Structures are given as structure tokens and as C-alpha cells.
Amino acid sequence: SQGSPTEGAMSLSLKIERLVGAVASHLSDNITSGTTVEYPGSFVDTGAINDWVCVRVAAMTRNAQRRRGTDHGKVMITVEIYAKRTAATYRASRIEEDIRAVLRHAEILVKDYGDSSEPTIAYLRVLEPDVGNQARQLGTPTRSDVRVLSVEFPALLQAA
């Protein structure tokens, strides 16, 4: 029997942590600044490091294509950059440039090894951030010695 059009939704709507983990892994493998990347569910001891990044899914919309039986959607990925002030200067701007270079037009496989013998559950294609999308400082930092920037990347997600 053929599956319903919503069966593929599990890959897109119930596996957000897999999506965030795939983007975090891609950043960790390709970032040149040596910045620590926080993975979903992990703990980062910030006392011993000067900078780190967190990946979040800020928004997600999904569309089922009934004729083809495929599931796809749009995702807004937010990367938060945390950088302690040092004697020299903020590293946040350099880290932001590195992240933009790594994620711009990236194609990332989203995998779930516990799901089945075919671990790829989706394909993510990161798009160019809007021209007006500049890194910005988030709110008032609770600690004056940490600068927090946020950069958003639109992306397309296709169920495997």
C-alpha cells in the first residue's frame, strides 16, 4: 500500500534536533576559526573557552506535494555567536564571516542512524542570507564581557 502524503512529515516536523545537529556538525567540520559548536542536548563549559556558537531553527514551514508524495519546506536557521571580550578585540565579527562562508549555499544531509538502514532523512540547501540580514547584538547581555551576535540563514528542506 502507498503511504499517505503526511507520512514524510515525520522527517521534517519531528526531527528538528536532527536538522540542528546536521547544521552544527557541518559547521564544526568546516569552520576555520576553531570556534566550539554546541550540539543539541550538549553542555558547553564556557569557562575554558573564549567563543562558541549555537544553532537554532527559528521557523519552519512545510508543504506536502501530494502528486509526487514528497515533503518539503522552508527553514530559517539562526546561528548565535558568543564571544568573550579579550585584550585584543571581539572575535565575533571574524567568526560571523567564517560562518557565512561555511553555510552560504551549503548542501547538508540530515541523517538519523537509528531510524532505518537508510540514514538520510532529508536534504537541506542553505540559501544566501538577505542583504539586509546583518549580524546583530542580541538584547542586553547579562554579562558585559560576552558579545552575542545572531545571523539568520533561509534554507530549503526536502524529505529523502
Side-chain angles (χ1 to χ4, degrees):
S1 89
Q2 202 169 31
S4 73
T6 57
E7 280 183 3
M10 183 177 73
S11 297
L12 298 183
S13 61
L14 299 179
K15 302 288 184 174
I16 298 294
E17 69 278 0
R18 300 289 184 242
L19 173 61
V20 171
V23 175
S25 179
H26 183 78
L27 275 175
S28 183
D29 291 348
N30 294 287
I31 201 165
T32 60
S33 60
T35 301
T36 299
V37 178
E38 180 182 333
Y39 284 81
S42 68
F43 173 77
V44 175
D45 179 8
T46 60
I49 57 176
N50 289 323
D51 47 68
W52 63 99
V53 298
C54 298
V55 178
R56 311 260 185 259
V57 172
M60 181 178 213
T61 58
R62 67 176 270 279
N63 303 309
Q65 291 182 339
R66 298 189 198 304
R67 281 184 275 155
R68 292 187 198 156
T70 59
D71 199 10
H72 69 279
K74 294 180 182 176
V75 179
M76 185 62 72
I77 299 166
T78 301
V79 180
E80 295 171 352
I81 305 160
Y82 298 84
K84 293 180 183 176
R85 294 180 194 229
T86 62
T89 184
Y90 291 123
R91 281 184 28 98
S93 295
R94 283 182 277 154
I95 296 167
E96 177 212 348
E97 290 172 13
D98 195 12
I99 288 169
R100 283 181 183 268
V102 168
L103 287 183
R104 184 180 293 126
H105 304 292
E107 294 184 4
I108 302 170
L109 298 178
V110 181
K111 297 184 176 193
D112 184 351
Y113 292 99
D115 215 24
S116 70
S117 61
E118 179 54 50
T120 300
I121 58 173
Y123 305 95
L124 180 72
R125 186 166 43 114
V126 182
L127 305 174
E128 184 80 27
D130 294 333
V131 174
N133 180 11
Q134 301 294 320
R136 61 190 182 279
Q137 185 154 342
L138 296 176
T140 304
T142 56
R143 294 176 46 186
S144 62
D145 64 338
V146 177
R147 184 175 185 196
V148 183
L149 299 178
S150 175
V151 185
E152 292 186 333
F153 292 86
L156 300 175
L157 187 63
Q158 175 73 46

